[in-house]
Amino acid sequence: MFEHGVAETTLEDIRAAAGVSGSQVYHYFVDKQALVRAVIDHQTDSVLDSQADHLDALDTVSGLRAWRDFIVEHQRRLQCRGGCPIGALGAEVAETDDVARLAVAGGFRRWEDQIRDGLRTMQTRGDLPQSVDADDLALALLAALQGGLLLTQIRRDTKPLEVALDAMLERIETLKAAA
């Protein structure tokens, strides 16, 4: 599904790729929509697991910068191909499958929660003003990341990702200086 897209992938394609019978596929997935939701969950877990060490350190500016550097370097290794696996699935299902769309939204929410938790820890320590809405700041950082990933994929250049993340991190640093 990641390689060919949700719409272009049939259960027969899945069966053949997995080297299993149709009955085995249907034993685990009642239909293609159930399989799509499992793929969304898997991709979300994969993305968050690959960033786990960095997501646990988003409570400092240096931790945020290390996360930014990790994501940019990951895109360089991928030669700016593929974009965000969660976002790619979301773009495919958003208008055709409300349950899958909500599963993607849940995946993004998990990512956003980890960012927000780091920012709230910064607030608790006094590194960010209490007047800052950590929820909005986390959402803005995730939105900048997603936009940056899409433009990076389209341009085959990490500059959009770097600029988007740097702008948000500069904003956080400005807020930190005001704390």
Side-chain angles (χ1 to χ4, degrees), residues 1-74:
M1 285 186 186
F2 185 66
E3 289 177 21
H4 302 290
V6 173
E8 297 297 318
T9 303
T10 66
L11 285 177
E12 179 59 27
D13 295 332
I14 300 296
R15 187 204 61 72
V20 298
S21 69
S23 64
Q24 287 175 305
V25 172
Y26 284 107
H27 175 76
Y28 293 100
F29 306 103
V30 68
D31 57 18
K32 184 177 176 182
Q33 286 72 28
L35 178 60
V36 169
R37 288 188 294 279
V39 168
I40 292 166
D41 291 342
H42 172 76
Q43 290 291 16
T44 299
D45 289 343
S46 293
V47 167
L48 296 179
D49 288 351
S50 73
Q51 297 177 26
D53 291 342
H54 297 285
L55 292 172
D56 289 340
L58 297 182
D59 59 348
T60 64
V61 171
S62 63
L64 288 163
R65 288 225 171 264
W67 175 65
R68 173 254 190 232
D69 293 346
F70 170 81
I71 290 170
V72 169
E73 185 54 36
H74 180 70

Side-chain angles (χ1 to χ4, degrees), residues 53-65 67 114-128 141 172 176:
D53 291 342
H54 297 285
L55 292 172
D56 289 340
L58 297 182
D59 59 348
T60 64
V61 171
S62 63
L64 288 163
R65 288 225 171 264
W67 175 65
Q114 295 211 339
I115 297 167
R116 185 202 60 237
D117 290 348
L119 296 172
R120 283 189 179 163
T121 298
M122 290 176 75
Q123 263 183 326
T124 300
R125 262 197 326 264
D127 291 343
L128 290 176
L141 184 51
I172 292 167
K176 184 178 187 282

